[in-house]
Amino acid sequence: MIKEIEENKYLCNDLDSSNLNKIMIPVLGCMKNGVIIADKDGWVVYVNPVYQKVTGLKMTERMGKNILKIAPDCPLSRSLKTGKSIPNENFKLFDIDNELVANTNPITIKDKIVGVISVFQNASKVRTILKELEGSKKTIKTLSNKFAHVAKAKYGFGDIVGSSPKFMKCIQMANQIAKTESTVLILGESGTGKELFAHAIHQAGYRNDKPFVRVNCAAIPSNLLESEFFGYEKGAFTGANQQKMGMFELANEGTIFLDEIGDMSFNLQAKLLRILEEGEMYRVGGINPINVDVRVIAATNRNLFKLVKQGKFREDLYYRISVLNIEIPSLKERKDDILLLAEVFLKKANRKLGKKVSGFSKDAKEILEFYHWPGNIRELRNAIERSVAMADDDILTAQDLYFIRAESKKEIDFKNLVPLKVAEREMIKCALDKFGVSVEGKKKAADALGISLRSLYNKIR
Ligand SMILES: Nc1ncnc2c1ncn2[C@@H]1O[C@H](COP(=O)(O)OP(=O)(O)OP(=O)(O)O)[C@@H](O)[C@H]1O
């Protein structure tokens, strides 16, 4: 076949002028895509075997024909006429049914167009490949979401800042607990560092080379939580097109951190208790029990005992998970640590924002120490970052902390007269008045209060 083409009388002089044919024709003959070449006047000088397969045309139906005449609008003709490349164009030839997708380029030698070449394949094949690619992309996305949950613990005890006696006791206790296999319940207001402690406990424990899987029980809609936790079997419900592993299986041999456990549905609490008691679970729609060996660290800023009394949290689960409790003090209970933390966050903010703020003025320190920090360490970190971003001077002054001063003033008004709960409610009201009650407004309000959106919803509830 190649010999026939090599000897083909239609090969024009320019294309024929070098050893091009001898080298290129066998190469083109091996290609998996269809190839057609026409000379500078539009005479077809070459079609490879795949061309015939894809188009269903015989070689004689193209060779020696003038493409400008038989298909003046096809990419080959247009590229020849304009001298321009036509990448990835879908088209249909007048004499075939298949839709094709072609990459077409003029062939130039010493700046002279000597011909034109089209490399193409069946568009439906391309579509199939694209569809498969799309499917693969989805799988990659699902897997990367999974891997976002499955990670090694990011922080250790070395990352936890604080030296007040109450806090040091907490760290000491957490260190001891880390060396056990017991379930741990971490309590504390929003932003006090519960997640940080969970990471540190895992990292200092025997499972530190195994997965650390974080699940925010408040962030996943309750109807999805069960399948997120336990996974599902193919066909378990509409849309369950394939089997999926749940968080417990992903955490096998490692630690699962159940953040905001107080927000877990009553029904799911029973299933969690089963895992804790028996070390086995069922995927949704599954009939075979699966053994899992997982250490559970749970955290909440809600009063679990109160939830038990209200019948919203299972008593048996409460006693099962609260064997070892760590109660992290709020920032206002450890005012000694405020400046220490502020210095650490100042350095971090400098690094992040490329600034060189060296410290705090005396009155700035007073403001930091006086304020009651309802959003705890998260709020302190955000406040420092915000003021570093705005600061013009070498040191942070009271002026840079104007937003805290405004909050503090309100606090003075409340301070002597109202319980903290009332003050908190007023503060939330004030933030919602300012930013509005839309989701966007609530996000801004939560930000300004230094608490998570979820915490804001909990407090509004
Ligand atoms: N002792 C600490 N030292 C340094 N950084 C801390 C400390 N405690 C908390 N942080 C930082 O404060 C932020 C909030 O901490 P974390 O998310 O652990 O709080 P949380 O109690 O889990 O909050 P929430 O209840 O809202 O989920 C994080 O950026 C964390 O790194």
Side-chain angles (χ1 to χ4, degrees):
M1 162 83 75
I2 288 163
K3 198 160 177 297
E4 276 169 34
I5 297 167
E6 276 182 307
E7 287 168 2
N8 196 299
K9 58 179 175 157
Y10 299 111
L11 280 175
C12 74
N13 283 338
D14 278 339
L15 282 176
D16 190 42
S17 61
S18 63
N19 278 334
L20 185 75
N21 296 327
K22 288 205 183 82
I23 301 163
M24 288 307 293
I25 286 175
V27 174
L28 297 173
C30 296
M31 277 181 66
K32 287 188 176 149
N33 295 337
V35 178
I36 179 168
I37 302 176
D39 72 8
K40 66 179 188 324
D41 300 317
W43 297 103
V44 176
V45 294
Y46 176 69
V47 294
N48 74 348
V50 180
Y51 178 92
Q52 300 162 60
K53 212 161 135 190
V54 174
T55 59
L57 294 169
K58 290 201 188 94
M59 196 188 291
T60 50
E61 288 176 84
R62 281 292 179 268
M63 293 293 288
K65 299 265 166 39
N66 194 304
I67 199 74
L68 295 170
K69 290 199 181 104
I70 59 170
D73 293 325
C74 78
L76 203 65
S77 296
R78 279 187 286 124
S79 177
L80 188 60
K81 283 188 266 186
T82 59
K84 291 197 174 133
S85 299
I86 305 176
N88 289 324
E89 181 171 294
N90 280 40
F91 72 101
K92 241 178 142 175
L93 279 171
F94 67 99
D95 50 357
I96 62 163
D97 289 334
N98 296 350
E99 199 184 336
L100 306 170
V101 55
N103 269 306
T104 310
N105 284 295
I107 306 168
T108 46
I109 297 176
K110 290 184 192 143
D111 293 337
K112 245 179 66 194
I113 295 180
V114 295
V116 62
I117 179 168
S118 237
V119 178
F120 60 88
Q121 53 185 303
N122 215 320
S124 62
K125 199 171 157 197
V126 175
R127 265 197 290 272
T128 313
I129 293 169
L130 284 177
K131 220 168 151 187
E132 280 168 12
L133 188 66
E134 210 40 54
S136 309
K137 273 193 195 158
K138 273 189 195 148
T139 312
I140 290 169
K141 199 163 169 225
T142 317
L143 286 175
S144 62
N145 282 345
K146 284 263 169 277
F147 282 120
H149 291 287
V150 184
K152 296 265 148 58
K154 279 191 280 186
Y155 313 102
F157 282 110
D159 297 299
I160 301 181
V161 180
S163 62
S164 68
K166 207 168 174 184
F167 192 66
M168 289 304 284
K169 240 180 162 175
C170 250
I171 295 188
Q172 196 189 354
M173 194 175 171
N175 249 310
Q176 284 167 350
I177 286 175
K179 301 282 180 257
T180 72
E181 282 288 289
S182 299
T183 301
V184 188
L185 178 62
I186 308 175
L187 301 163
E189 286 179 13
S190 177
T192 46
K194 297 184 291 298
E195 183 174 347
L196 200 59
F197 267 77
H199 279 263
I201 290 170
H202 172 77
Q203 206 177 76
Y206 302 116
R207 296 171 180 251
N208 59 7
D209 59 336
K210 296 288 189 298
F212 175 85
V213 176
R214 174 182 180 250
V215 192
N216 186 339
C217 304
I220 304 171
S222 57
N223 57 332
L224 293 184
L225 206 50
E226 184 170 357
S227 57
E228 282 296 315
F229 264 27
F230 307 117
Y232 51 77
E233 294 294 345
K234 189 175 172 183
F237 46 82
T238 325
N241 298 328
Q242 57 194 30
Q243 188 191 63
K244 190 184 130 174
M245 272 171 116
M247 300 296 185
F248 271 93
E249 270 181 276
L250 290 170
N252 200 16
E253 297 187 350
T255 301
I256 192 162
F257 172 46
L258 303 176
D259 204 1
E260 318 266 10
I261 196 170
D263 293 71
M264 187 184 282
S265 79
F266 208 72
N267 180 27
L268 207 55
Q269 290 171 24
K271 297 192 174 166
L272 174 60
L273 186 65
R274 184 188 168 90
I275 291 196
L276 295 179
E277 294 287 331
E278 291 163 36
E280 67 174 32
M281 49 152 264
Y282 291 86
R283 292 199 187 112
V284 177
I287 46 167
N288 298 319
I290 297 171
N291 291 322
V292 282
D293 163 25
V294 174
R295 179 182 197 178
V296 174
I297 303 180
T300 182
N301 54 21
R302 303 182 72 178
N303 185 334
L304 272 195
F305 191 67
K306 203 166 150 194
L307 291 179
V308 171
K309 292 278 159 256
Q310 291 169 348
K312 291 182 182 157
F313 202 85
R314 290 182 69 106
E315 194 170 2
D316 43 9
L317 180 61
Y318 173 75
Y319 287 115
R320 182 69 182 73
I321 60 169
S322 64
V323 184
L324 294 173
N325 285 5
I326 299 175
E327 195 157 352
I328 305 180
S330 64
L331 202 46
K332 58 183 171 287
E333 291 173 86
R334 52 183 186 117
K335 290 213 164 218
D336 305 352
D337 285 342
I338 291 177
L339 293 182
L340 185 66
L341 281 157
E343 293 284 353
V344 171
F345 293 138
L346 180 73
K347 285 199 185 100
K348 284 192 180 168
N350 273 334
R351 266 202 305 276
K352 183 171 168 190
L353 303 166
K355 293 264 193 149
K356 286 192 176 134
V357 181
S358 61
F360 302 90
S361 71
K362 191 166 171 283
D363 50 1
K365 284 183 185 171
E366 276 168 11
I367 288 173
L368 291 174
E369 284 181 317
F370 178 75
Y371 183 51
H372 65 298
W373 299 108
N376 291 292
I377 301 175
R378 181 182 291 110
E379 186 185 9
L380 175 64
R381 186 201 62 195
N382 291 349
I384 302 293
E385 192 174 321
R386 179 173 168 186
S387 41
V388 168
M390 308 301 284
D392 293 326
D393 294 332
D394 176 42
I395 56 168
L396 285 188
T397 61
Q399 199 61 34
D400 298 314
L401 297 168
Y402 69 93
F403 51 95
I404 299 177
R405 270 171 38 197
E407 293 297 311
S408 298
K409 275 203 192 109
K410 281 178 209 151
E411 188 196 8
I412 296 168
D413 291 342
F414 296 133
K415 203 176 166 191
N416 303 321
L417 304 167
V418 294
L420 214 55
K421 273 276 162 220
V422 179
E424 184 187 74
R425 202 175 58 222
E426 286 303 318
M427 205 71 82
I428 290 170
K429 229 175 110 202
C430 178
L432 291 176
D433 282 346
K434 183 166 173 188
F435 297 109
V437 292
S438 65
V439 176
E440 211 39 54
K442 286 192 186 112
K443 271 187 198 153
K444 284 183 185 159
D447 228 29
L449 293 167
I451 57 175
S452 63
L453 182 60
R454 172 56 51 192
S455 300
L456 180 65
Y457 275 117
N458 285 339
K459 286 176 192 299
I460 297 171
R461 226 186 346 228

